[in-house]
Amino acid sequence: QTVESDERALINVEEGISISKDSLFLLNLRFRMQNRAGFNTVSGDLLNVNEYEMRVRRLRLRLDGFVLSPRVQYYIQLAFSKADLDLESGDIAQPIRDAIIYYTFNKNFYVGFGQSKLPGNRQRVNSSGNLQFADRSVVNGLFTLDRDFGFFGYYTFNFPNESILQLKGAISTGDGRNASKINDGLAYTGRLEILPFGNFKNNGDYSEGDIAFETDPKLSLGLTFSKNNKANRTGGQLGQELYEFRDMNSLIIDGVFKYQGWAVLSEYMNRTSPDPITTNALGDVRFVVVGGGVN
Amino acid sequence: QTVESDERALINVEEGISISKDSLFLLNLRFRMQNRAGFNTVSGDLLNVNEYEMRVRRLRLRLDGFVLSPRVQYYIQLAFSKADLDLESGDIAQPIRDAIIYYTFNKNFYVGFGQSKLPGNRQRVNSSGNLQFADRSVVNGLFTLDRDFGFFGYYTFNFPNESILQLKGAISTGDGRNASKINDGLAYTGRLEILPFGNFKNNGDYSEGDIAFETDPKLSLGLTFSKNNKANRTGGQLGQELYEFRDMNSLIIDGVFKYQGWAVLSEYMNRTSPDPITTNALGDVRFVVVGGGVN
Amino acid sequence: QTVESDERALINVEEGISISKDSLFLLNLRFRMQNRAGFNTVSGDLLNVNEYEMRVRRLRLRLDGFVLSPRVQYYIQLAFSKADLDLESGDIAQPIRDAIIYYTFNKNFYVGFGQSKLPGNRQRVNSSGNLQFADRSVVNGLFTLDRDFGFFGYYTFNFPNESILQLKGAISTGDGRNASKINDGLAYTGRLEILPFGNFKNNGDYSEGDIAFETDPKLSLGLTFSKNNKANRTGGQLGQELYEFRDMNSLIIDGVFKYQGWAVLSEYMNRTSPDPITTNALGDVRFVVVGGGVN
């Protein structure tokens, strides 16, 4: 099974429908369904069931491939479950998760234009099919950069000693997926990744657990800085609307180490804002979610 | 044409796209569109047209097949028309109708996990493509169990004299499709079906009309009992939200007889609740839809 | 590349997935994605950026083909971007754009039943993939007939001197796509098109720009009249709800001329209503958008 990347289109996949026509056209069509049943207890002492949660957690349709030439790739992901449509936190159905076109200059450099995941913390960029647990962490939920719409760039340096340096950057709206609010404040995100012992097997730096079983130790360290100007949501790309626009800065440091079936992952996230609190005329308060956390 | 079942995935279909890879993967992709034009008259005496109703009544996309092994089957149905999305009675778009994974132990026993139709009254379980009229009955609308999320089980006994006994059961949330409300009350549904003269041609016990033309008389009798604890909607899986949780019990008896082009179908449904009426602080009343009816 | 028509199903396409089975079944599956990045300046003098607009403008999935016989064609178009779902102007997600079945009597005559574009102004009927600019004009936005649900008919006369006369007509709800409101007022639309110098190359009368490079001059003149009885929206098929039903009449005259790479397009639209203004009990006013404009 190929480990999915949420940072580029997949051209060679073994599952799903795949239709091609010479090197003029390729369409891979796949879907992912995750059903869930669980329960909560009132407290750790009394193990009475308090609530059951049973539902379709994720239901996604993914189309990727290329048009005209293998250099021009596209990646579209639609989502249909209630949580995926953002209908648990809002009223507006949002079926589009990813909709981006990539142009590949050479094997080390490609750029994208559209809506996709920002090069933020590692856990967020991991595809939901590659997580160890069904959901991401609470820290991820509070401070992640999530998805955004804009221009993306990815560059890879290969050093003679097998070390790899990756530069990733994005200029985006800063207002999250399917935003209709527009102002003149953009978000600037840069990320640096160092893989001193070379590439992981099967994109293993972006999956949890060492399923591929690395015979040599592999390490990836990442550092992201993101500046979001005039953001209008409490978490930048996510959260409730603020009463006034605010600037915010995010710092993310993360790493993953895998060796012979063992995997260690950690990430530190921090968000600051010069003036996090906004109020409306009635005195209600909404504030930028500032602070930090460690996974 | 294969008669669709809404109680399992279809593996051999003759229409639509079908993509397979050895016995590792199968995807059938089909859609159904039903357009409607009609009019109402003010009364039976004055045949003046009062209202026109013209619209896309149903537009569905169905994906089913198996992954890894023919034993592991899936069935996904998405719906896009306004009525299908529940946007005529509510605000929240609900594109997912079915999303369930089945595991088949042998030809007589399979279980499911996900969202699908409960083993309730026969007319409800009939696929909308197999109905005699475009819509189901009013009685079905008031008392049906509809769809729910949970665990499903299906067992078939074959007797030496060709008689068949089917046991169907489900443990589900009791709150209907795509519910986000959760409490510790589940719904328990059990159904018994007896086919004393053996199987109908082409799954004819779950289609209306005797299109397959049964040369020997065929009969199926069904009995469903469902107990829904702490339901929060007026009809359990359907209807407005109640102001307080209520328990409710449903009894369904139905039968179908087909012979040489003739078909007779009937069903009796009854719902009771120990305390059907709920009120809120303002004195507004919402009540469980209790009572019964015959089709 | 085939120029898409929004007035019939496409049977021979070269892009996308195409699955057929003898002459019993054909399904073409294609999608269109249009991403956009732009900015507005405060005024023409001060070129400071005032607002950025970056988003997925259009994301569409198109299925067309035939069932049972090549005479019975269908055309379904689903849309998923926020603007496409009508979520910028309203609350109700509307994924269905087109859902229509056509029956073809002969090469000059076919009829349709379902939801599709009315035979209104030329720019509206042009598929969004064939526009010169990313959006249609303001005049189109105010006075177009847009999509509707009902019965459609298309007839073509071929004269011996290569001239062509096309008659197009529709009887529809008059309330726009996915309307649930119903009354006894329908809309009647008729359109006449004259192509005195014969057909354009590659359906060029319904694309902008002369990409096909016409070696001989080609002209098409169109005249549409539409009468919408008891409409309940300010623009008939589009716009806010009126407080009372109103009748409205639309007149459209348009033309396109192409020759050796040059293309000239123009259209005149006019809407009238005998009593355009409606008020509610509180004195609020909503009115039919009457008046005219030229592209």
Side-chain angles (χ1 to χ4, degrees), chain B residues 139-204:
Chain B
V139 172
N140 173 81
L142 289 174
F143 300 114
T144 187
L145 299 181
D146 199 63
R147 286 179 166 85
D148 212 344
F149 188 98
F151 298 90
F152 297 76
Y154 298 86
Y155 196 92
T156 303
F157 290 96
N158 293 295
F159 294 100
N161 65 347
E162 290 212 333
S163 295
I164 292 169
L165 176 68
Q166 295 187 320
L167 297 179
K168 305 176 178 183
I171 300 176
S172 58
T173 63
D175 299 324
R177 61 191 187 102
N178 306 316
S180 51
K181 284 283 175 63
I182 45 178
N183 59 39
D184 65 341
L186 297 177
Y188 305 88
T189 306
R191 181 171 169 88
L192 195 81
E193 282 179 33
I194 300 171
L195 290 79
F197 313 128
N199 268 325
F200 288 61
K201 287 184 187 169
N202 196 8
N203 298 324

Side-chain angles (χ1 to χ4, degrees), chain A residues 171-173 182-186 188 229-230 245, chain C residues 37-54:
Chain A
I171 300 177
S172 58
T173 64
I182 46 177
N183 59 40
D184 65 340
L186 297 177
Y188 305 87
N229 292 329
K230 298 196 187 175
F245 299 139
Chain C
F39 58 88
N40 296 325
T41 54
V42 185
S43 70
D45 298 327
L46 282 82
L47 291 176
N48 296 331
V49 172
N50 184 33
E51 289 183 325
Y52 287 101
E53 181 198 6
M54 307 209 288

Side-chain angles (χ1 to χ4, degrees), chain A residues 113-132:
Chain A
F113 171 53
Q115 179 173 296
S116 191
K117 285 180 182 175
L118 286 174
N121 61 309
R122 194 176 296 270
Q123 192 181 50
R124 181 62 204 149
V125 180
N126 285 345
S127 173
S128 60
N130 303 328
L131 298 177
Q132 196 87 307

Side-chain angles (χ1 to χ4, degrees), chain A residues 31 35 52 55 82 88, chain B residues 74 113 149 178 180 182-183:
Chain A
F31 67 90
N35 291 339
Y52 287 100
R55 58 188 173 127
K82 198 168 182 179
E88 309 237 294
Chain B
Y74 60 89
F113 172 53
F149 188 98
N178 306 316
S180 51
I182 45 178
N183 59 39

Side-chain angles (χ1 to χ4, degrees), chain A residues 74 113 149 178 180 182-183, chain C residues 31 35 52 55 82 88:
Chain A
Y74 60 89
F113 171 53
F149 188 97
N178 306 314
S180 50
I182 46 177
N183 59 40
Chain C
F31 66 89
N35 291 339
Y52 287 101
R55 57 185 174 129
K82 198 168 182 178
E88 309 236 293

Side-chain angles (χ1 to χ4, degrees), chain C residues 61-75:
Chain C
L61 199 63
R62 180 177 173 140
L63 302 97
D64 46 15
F66 59 79
V67 280
L68 299 176
S69 143
R71 284 176 183 276
V72 185
Q73 304 181 357
Y74 60 88
Y75 166 29

